Amino acid sequence: MQKVRMNKTALFISVVFCWGYFSCKQKPSKNVYENNLGIPPAVLAQLDSIHYTQIQWIDSVKTIGNVFYGDTVLLNFMFKNTGETPLFIAEVKPSCGCTVANYPKHGIMPGEIGILQAKYTSEGFPGNFRKSITVKSNTTNGVYHSLQFLGILSKDSLPHQNKTYLK
């Protein structure tokens, strides 16, 4: 029990130290949040609010049109770091189990473009649908961002179902 308490205390002290160290007015470089503590750089970037950056979503809403039951759609949501420090995506949460998101785990440097890819496997009831993805990042223009895609799930059973395509 004593060892567990010491490990938690050591981790807390390390995080506070890192936060204090990174809170200086210096501009973080690409690897400033790398550490040997097992703490993901995106977590440390979230704590360092004085060095938050800005994100510009090039496309945050997509209309994908007709989709047939069983088809898989790949969607690329592009964003740009318009700030002065590295941008980290800390967390991505799709609104349902039919969508899985893949995003850069490394810092996106100022001026660089990143891509968040969503994989939507169509299922459910036929008709109009709207799905969303919540993105958490170290940005001054909102820590949480909402991405959306909408379309129509067709009930027709055509021979081309179960295909994967990029929208």
Side-chain angles (χ1 to χ4, degrees):
M1 182 70 170
Q2 185 71 12
K3 189 174 185 178
V4 172
R5 180 175 286 145
M6 285 182 60
N7 286 342
K8 286 182 179 180
T9 303
L11 179 61
F12 176 76
I13 290 170
S14 298
V15 168
V16 170
F17 171 78
C18 289
W19 178 76
Y21 175 76
F22 295 127
S23 292
C24 297
K25 291 287 183 184
Q26 65 183 351
K27 290 183 181 178
S29 66
K30 190 170 191 168
N31 295 321
V32 74
Y33 300 112
E34 295 296 324
N35 61 82
N36 294 326
L37 303 171
I39 302 171
V43 171
L44 292 177
Q46 287 296 127
L47 295 173
D48 188 15
S49 60
I50 199 165
H51 290 115
Y52 273 17
T53 189
Q54 290 197 357
I55 190 169
Q56 174 190 5
W57 290 97
I58 297 166
D59 48 3
S60 60
V61 178
K62 291 187 174 273
T63 302
I64 61 176
N66 288 321
V67 179
F68 294 95
Y69 191 90
D71 283 356
T72 300
V73 181
L74 300 176
L75 302 131
N76 288 327
F77 292 96
M78 296 176 58
F79 60 91
K80 182 176 183 178
N81 181 349
T82 58
E84 297 180 7
T85 57
L87 186 152
F88 287 89
I89 294 179
E91 189 176 22
V92 173
K93 289 187 178 183
S95 62
C96 69
C98 59
T99 305
V100 178
N102 187 18
Y103 58 95
K105 309 298 189 275
H106 62 281
I108 304 297
M109 297 307 289
E112 288 184 359
I113 291 178
I115 297 175
L116 182 147
Q117 187 174 69
K119 180 180 175 183
Y120 166 66
T121 304
S122 59
E123 55 186 41
F125 298 103
N128 295 332
F129 65 86
R130 177 182 295 265
K131 305 294 180 181
S132 64
I133 302 168
T134 302
V135 179
K136 183 178 181 183
S137 60
N138 64 324
T139 49
T140 58
N141 55 333
V143 174
Y144 292 97
H145 305 271
S146 180
L147 307 176
Q148 298 181 12
F149 60 96
L150 50 119
I152 302 168
L153 182 57
S154 176
K155 62 183 175 183
D156 296 334
S157 180
L158 299 176
H160 69 280
Q161 71 184 38
N162 296 320
K163 284 190 170 185
T164 299
Y165 47 96
L166 182 65
K167 290 276 188 170

